[in-house]
Amino acid sequence: MAVGRSAALKVDWTKIGTSLGLKGQTAAALAAFKKRNDDARRKVQLLSDAPQTVNFESYRSQLKNQAVVDEIENHFKSFKPATYDVSRQIKAIEAFEEQAVKNAQETKGMVDKELGDLEKTLKNIEEARPFEDLTVDEVAAARPDIDERTAQLVSKGRWGVPGYKEKFGDLSVL
């Protein structure tokens, strides 16, 4: 059990959320679990620091009515702590664990899909021809909206591209 405690102390909770890219419900569930873990650890620490023996002789020497001390000592010695059935809590923890694993697998699936898309995009970028080697037909095939916009400008009688003169200057003097 001491090994479990030392391993639990070494968990870097902030790093888990950021390194896995957890968001939404999964991140909230992890934060709630961390809070419960911290609360439980704090309670265990308080209880382990509390004194566990009672010095009844000290009370007998301070009080005149020693019958009260004897009665309390008898009750203390005959006290049996209640046992609780924790199977319900264990089932709840197992259900939480199953949900957390399911959410982690969903997150992993989304991350894997996004990585695949990014790898495809990177491959397309690496294999793309330089802009200078492209023809007008290839650009028009890739972006049909350019042809549509050009047709619209021509139909309105505008033969110039808006902003062209400001960017490249007026070559009509030549």
Side-chain angles (χ1 to χ4, degrees):
M1 185 151 172
V3 173
R5 278 191 215 139
S6 65
L9 291 172
K10 293 179 183 177
V11 172
D12 186 1
W13 294 98
T14 55
K15 198 172 192 180
I16 289 174
T18 55
S19 67
L20 296 177
L22 300 179
K23 294 180 181 162
Q25 186 181 15
T26 306
L30 181 65
F33 181 76
K34 179 193 179 301
K35 183 181 182 305
R36 287 195 309 271
N37 180 32
D38 291 342
D39 291 344
R41 184 170 290 131
R42 198 173 304 111
K43 286 180 184 177
V44 166
Q45 184 65 33
L46 285 173
L47 290 174
S48 66
D49 290 344
Q52 299 179 3
T53 59
V54 178
N55 185 359
F56 289 105
E57 292 303 320
S58 170
Y59 290 109
R60 282 192 183 93
S61 66
Q62 294 174 7
L63 297 174
K64 292 181 181 179
N65 189 354
Q66 295 190 7
V68 171
V69 177
D70 292 337
E71 185 178 337
I72 292 172
E73 185 177 13
N74 288 335
H75 285 293
F76 181 77
K77 288 179 180 177
S78 65
F79 175 75
K80 300 275 191 243
T83 57
Y84 292 101
D85 182 22
V86 293
S87 61
R88 193 176 72 178
Q89 285 84 0
I90 290 174
K91 286 180 184 176
I93 290 170
E94 288 172 352
F96 174 79
E97 182 181 350
E98 286 177 23
Q99 184 65 33
V101 168
K102 179 182 168 190
N103 287 344
Q105 288 173 344
E106 288 175 6
T107 302
K108 181 186 178 293
M110 290 189 306
V111 168
D112 288 344
K113 182 182 176 216
E114 189 172 330
L115 281 174
D117 291 344
L118 289 173
E119 286 175 1
K120 283 182 189 176
T121 303
L122 182 61
K123 185 177 178 183
N124 284 342
I125 291 170
E126 289 171 347
E127 293 176 353
R129 290 190 300 172
F131 186 74
E132 304 85 37
D133 296 346
L134 294 178
T135 64
V136 173
D137 292 334
E138 290 171 335
V139 172
R143 296 278 312 268
D145 60 314
I146 294 175
D147 270 348
E148 293 171 11
R149 178 74 173 140
T150 305
Q152 181 185 23
L153 288 172
V154 170
S155 70
K156 292 181 179 178
R158 294 188 187 154
W159 295 96
V161 177
Y164 184 86
K165 285 184 180 180
E166 290 81 11
K167 189 170 185 180
F168 299 109
D170 190 2
L171 299 177
S172 63
V173 205
L174 299 174

